[in-house]
Amino acid sequence: MNPLVREQILTIIASIPEGRVTSYGRIAKMTDGATARMVARALRDLPSGHELPWFRVVTSSRKLADHSGADEQRRRLIDEGIAFDVRGRIPVERFWP
């Protein structure tokens, strides 16, 4: 991955406000050429102990992606006041930007 695009992805993730979420695709559209898969890859490659709010990135269907950290992600989002509907979706008004 182009280091500039990776840096753009990480900068955008760092900017997601508490209590809000955004999707892999929305982040990709804010960069110079990333795709949603590239955003997911950047998240997978984060070193342990980082401070980025990775848990605020969800799928375009407003659900959590299927990954090993999904339980922790759900807990962190609930701790920030984000509710899930019965289908596991996050309300659209919680999306940023």
Side-chain angles (χ1 to χ4, degrees), residues 1-37:
M1 179 184 310
N2 177 322
L4 176 62
V5 172
R6 185 179 193 287
E7 185 62 31
Q8 289 173 347
I9 291 168
L10 300 181
T11 299
I12 293 164
I13 293 169
S15 301
I16 305 169
E18 184 175 332
R20 304 291 296 274
V21 298
T22 197
S23 70
Y24 299 94
R26 284 185 180 199
I27 292 171
K29 288 178 184 175
M30 291 186 245
T31 68
D32 293 327
T35 64
R37 287 180 190 235

Side-chain angles (χ1 to χ4, degrees), residues 45-63:
D45 291 345
L46 289 172
S48 60
H50 67 83
E51 298 292 323
L52 286 176
W54 60 271
F55 55 91
R56 295 180 185 145
V57 182
V58 299
T59 68
S60 61
S61 61
R62 304 186 339 251
K63 294 182 177 184

Side-chain angles (χ1 to χ4, degrees), residues 18-97:
E18 184 175 332
R20 304 291 296 274
V21 298
T22 197
S23 70
Y24 299 94
R26 284 185 180 199
I27 292 171
K29 288 178 184 175
M30 291 186 245
T31 68
D32 293 327
T35 64
R37 287 180 190 235
M38 291 169 74
V39 173
R41 173 72 186 257
L43 286 168
R44 275 193 311 271
D45 291 345
L46 289 172
S48 60
H50 67 83
E51 298 292 323
L52 286 176
W54 60 271
F55 55 91
R56 295 180 185 145
V57 182
V58 299
T59 68
S60 61
S61 61
R62 304 186 339 251
K63 294 182 177 184
L64 304 184
D66 184 23
H67 58 83
S68 62
D71 289 339
E72 178 184 356
Q73 182 178 18
R74 178 179 292 275
R75 181 186 51 77
R76 285 181 175 220
L77 291 173
I78 290 170
D79 288 349
E80 289 192 352
I82 295 177
F84 292 81
D85 69 14
V86 295
R87 294 183 183 164
R89 293 179 303 187
I90 296 168
V92 71
E93 58 269 9
R94 288 297 191 148
F95 263 71
W96 170 88

